[in-house]
Amino acid sequence: MYLPPGPVVPGSSEEEDAIISALREHSAATIARINYRASSMHKYPTPIHDVLAGFDWIRDTLIRDEFNRPYLARLGVCGELVGGSLAAMLALTECRLGESRIGAAAINNPLVDWVFPEELPLVDPSGIPEPIAADETALPADEDPMDYIAQMLPAKSARKRRKPSAKTPPLTAWQRYSDNATIPTRTLMAQRDQLFRRPEDYFDRFASPIHFFRSPHAQMVLSQSSDASPSLQPDILHDVETQMSIDHYAAVGSQKFSVQDLPTLTRCRAYTRNYPLAGTKISLPAWHVTTGLESPLSDQTNELTKLLRRSIARHTLKSHAGRTRWHDATEKQMYEEAAEERVHLIERPGAGLWTRQNGNTDWTRHIHEMGSWMKHNLEVGLS
């Protein structure tokens, strides 16, 4: 399944045709392009619904043997930017054992977190407030949940471990490359305004799939107006099952509110989330993750890679040894190296977009490598 990059880089149909042709040649697979809708007229969750509907159609229609009987198959999905976000969402949720599922995902510069904390005022790390609502864990998102010491610390101690730092925090990729000629941050924020009805919708895990693994770095704070609607409560207050369903989105014709009643976005501390949840039969696929060294989205991509590897290492340990904690550093290294084999990260020069080749002769080789990787990971019997 090929998911176009969306409105962030319009007018890329010729490049996309070349990408699909190269993928078809080197993956030896049938390529299905899902032309999801994403615009000011078709806001979220429409892109999500379209991709899920396309995925269901492919499973019901194309996954048939010579006698027109359905069979179990491993499918691949790839995409960049908005398409990369939707590909990540699909790969994280449609990978259940015992059914046709996503077995390999290739994503490039994915927009996996529409909550851009860099646009908020800077706060000293020691002064970042706690989120309004409690999350699934009390472990800060930058801590390893499988670390023995962190596991043994009580929740309150874990929350107070940070010490004030006199050092100026380094610039993020968003800040360093905000004026990138291909995908400047002002374009990303303008597209977000077009694609979402309300700021609360940025927090949905299907729209910002990195939130499957951690809570957001920001939260919505309601106004003090007495007539503010409960429907404006932030998604981070919802229970897990509600979050796992995209049905909680408001209808298109939802009630309008005055400016003073609208919630505001503020920075807060992020905490880890365990994903996949126990008993869901979800088994994460293999990942081919790429980004540009000068892309403002490279930090998002690197963080998602880290969280994917952490999750895969934890669940592999659980399935193999029945434990959730390392015995020693050697065992930890073994499982982390195995997770790195399942989640490849490649950084390219410049912005690194597939659809903005700009005379780059290496782009063909990069797509060929991705197609060959996809072919290897979709081979029958590969686990």
Side-chain angles (χ1 to χ4, degrees), residues 42-191:
H42 301 98
K43 299 177 182 286
Y44 275 85
T46 297
I48 298 171
H49 291 166
D50 287 350
V51 169
L52 291 174
F55 176 72
D56 289 340
W57 183 89
I58 289 169
R59 287 200 303 184
D60 296 340
T61 306
L62 299 184
I63 312 301
R64 297 275 176 170
D65 63 16
E66 57 184 315
F67 302 104
N68 198 34
R69 297 174 303 193
Y71 63 92
L72 296 184
R74 293 168 60 86
L75 297 91
V77 63
C78 65
E80 69 178 358
L81 298 174
V82 178
S85 171
L86 294 167
M89 174 275 299
L90 198 66
L92 290 173
T93 58
E94 298 297 336
C95 54
R96 289 178 292 274
L97 297 173
E99 57 187 72
S100 292
R101 64 190 185 93
I102 303 296
I107 55 177
N108 181 44
N109 280 301
L111 270 158
V112 290
D113 189 1
W114 288 99
V115 181
F116 303 141
E118 292 88 348
E119 65 181 302
L120 301 173
L122 289 176
V123 179
D124 185 89
S126 63
I128 298 177
E130 299 294 331
I132 296 173
D135 217 278
E136 288 93 301
T137 75
L139 194 63
D142 56 357
E143 299 282 357
D144 187 343
M146 297 184 66
D147 181 79
Y148 177 79
I149 297 177
Q151 289 275 358
M152 297 301 293
L153 284 173
K156 290 184 178 180
S157 298
R159 290 174 181 257
K160 296 180 180 179
R161 291 185 66 188
R162 296 174 180 268
K163 295 180 179 180
S165 175
K167 295 182 180 179
T168 302
L171 293 177
T172 65
W174 182 275
Q175 295 165 332
R176 288 196 305 272
Y177 307 116
S178 61
D179 294 326
N180 182 284
T182 307
I183 43 173
T185 57
R186 62 182 179 275
T187 297
L188 298 174
M189 289 190 288
Q191 286 298 327

